[in-house]
């Protein structure tokens, strides 16, 4: 596949370090910037394009990871996920806030979901 900058993300496969196949995806650009700056080694900006900011850095073990924003809602997330896959990302972990329809899930709880409704 030829390396092309993705229309919405603003970066392409060649902008990523080798092995960058994991992305942390949040709705809030500030959250992605914060994670890259404060929790990853060598965090740097990949792009700030169309309101979808992206950063790359390394996990404590050295594995490269992308921090990207999806904006809000399923349509925007679908576009971003599709373009992340096109640049070689194979694992996407959604991070951020969410609501709950379960009484026992309280504000501040950590929830690891294995399915979602859109």
């Amino acid at each position: 596949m030829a390396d092309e900058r993705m229309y919405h993300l603003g970066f392409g496969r060649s902008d990523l370090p080798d092995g960058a196949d994991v992305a942390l995806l949040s709705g809030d650009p500030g959250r992605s910037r914060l994670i890259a700056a404060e929790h990853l080694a060598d965090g740097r900006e990949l792009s700030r394009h169309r309101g979808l900011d992206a950063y790359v850095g390394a996990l404590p073990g050295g594995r490269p990871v992308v921090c990207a924003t999806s904006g809000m809602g399923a349509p925007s997330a679908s576009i971003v996920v599709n373009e992340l896959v096109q640049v070689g990302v194979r694992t996407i972990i959604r991070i951020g806030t969410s609501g709950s329809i379960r009484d026992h899930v309280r504000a501040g709880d950590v929830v690891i979901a294995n399915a979602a409704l859109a």
Side-chain angles (χ1 to χ4, degrees):
M1 174 164 94
D3 183 51
E4 299 177 8
R5 292 195 183 277
M6 295 292 105
Y7 182 77
H8 296 92
L9 292 179
F11 66 89
R13 185 181 298 248
S14 66
D15 296 310
L16 298 177
D18 289 340
D21 63 351
V22 174
L24 304 176
L25 187 61
S26 68
D28 178 10
R31 182 174 286 122
S32 289
R33 183 180 60 250
L34 176 74
I35 290 169
E38 295 190 15
H39 299 286
L40 299 178
D42 303 320
R44 66 174 172 84
E45 184 178 291
L46 277 173
S47 68
R48 296 187 71 193
H49 186 68
R50 300 179 60 87
L52 300 170
D53 298 356
Y55 305 85
V56 66
L59 296 169
R63 184 176 184 161
V65 64
V66 175
C67 293
T69 57
S70 64
M72 293 177 58
S76 180
S78 174
I79 291 167
V80 170
V81 166
N82 183 290
E83 290 190 0
L84 285 170
V85 169
Q86 289 182 62
V87 298
V89 171
R90 296 295 176 255
T91 302
I92 298 171
I93 301 168
R94 174 66 168 91
I95 56 174
T97 54
S98 180
S100 173
I101 57 173
R102 306 290 245 171
D103 290 337
H104 69 277
V105 178
R106 303 280 184 216
D109 285 353
V110 174
V111 177
I112 301 173
N114 62 6
L117 301 173

